[in-house]
Amino acid sequence: MNLSNLKPAKGSVKGGKRIGRGTGSGRGGTSTRGHKGAGSRSGTSTKVGFEGGQMPLQRRVPKVGFKPINRTEYVGVNLDVLQGLAEKFNLESVDFATLKEHGLVSKNDLVKILGRGEVKAKLNVKAHAFSASAQKAIEAAGGSIEKL
């Protein structure tokens, strides 16, 4: 027995609806397309979201927000995460390579250190950006910061 011999069990698969095979079939005549109109003609297609002339949903729903096309997006790393890394791996400095190594960022990310939690370890932190509270907390613990 191999994969080319496999078949569904007898009677488990029903045949498809045969449309347009005479009035005796129950699906003859207009072949389930109704009478007249664009949908009854051959080669008809309507665009995605078309609602028969009614204002489509994507135009009825209000548009919210604004995303500038050239904004810089940062991946946030909080102080409690840095403290956890420092304790677990006995680190004195944290840079992009360290964060990437431990799976917190990807190679093209920009890193911003954020101020949630607290830092007890004296850390030398290198990142692309720092929040004011994170900067104060790191320097208060005796550490230093360096912007990349």
Side-chain angles (χ1 to χ4, degrees), residues 58-135:
Q58 72 269 21
R59 291 185 63 197
R60 291 197 304 265
V61 174
K63 307 300 177 275
V64 178
F66 173 74
K67 284 191 175 184
I69 196 165
N70 56 353
R71 74 188 181 285
T72 55
E73 279 194 48
Y74 293 97
V75 173
V77 178
N78 281 292
L79 292 176
D80 54 0
V81 175
L82 292 183
Q83 179 63 32
L85 278 177
E87 288 172 2
K88 190 171 182 183
F89 299 104
N90 204 17
L91 301 174
E92 292 178 7
S93 69
V94 176
D95 59 354
F96 185 81
T98 309
L99 295 172
K100 186 175 175 236
E101 183 183 318
H102 296 296
L104 294 170
V105 293
S106 299
K107 66 178 181 179
N108 296 324
D109 289 340
L110 298 176
V111 178
K112 183 169 185 175
I113 306 299
L114 304 174
R116 187 187 73 201
E118 58 182 280
V119 170
K120 296 173 189 140
K122 183 179 175 184
L123 288 174
N124 177 25
V125 184
K126 296 178 184 176
H128 299 96
F130 295 85
S131 71
S133 60
Q135 187 171 341

Side-chain angles (χ1 to χ4, degrees), residues 6-67:
L6 292 177
K7 289 183 180 176
K10 191 159 179 76
S12 67
V13 178
K14 268 177 100 171
K17 295 177 181 177
R18 297 194 61 211
I19 295 172
R21 293 293 179 267
T23 52
S25 70
R27 294 190 184 86
T30 57
S31 300
T32 72
R33 288 169 175 257
H35 297 280
K36 297 185 181 178
S40 69
R41 314 290 189 223
S42 67
T44 181
S45 65
T46 53
K47 62 183 179 182
V48 174
F50 183 68
E51 297 185 17
Q54 174 174 303
M55 187 62 67
L57 181 68
Q58 72 269 21
R59 291 185 63 197
R60 291 197 304 265
V61 174
K63 307 300 177 275
V64 178
F66 173 74
K67 284 191 175 184

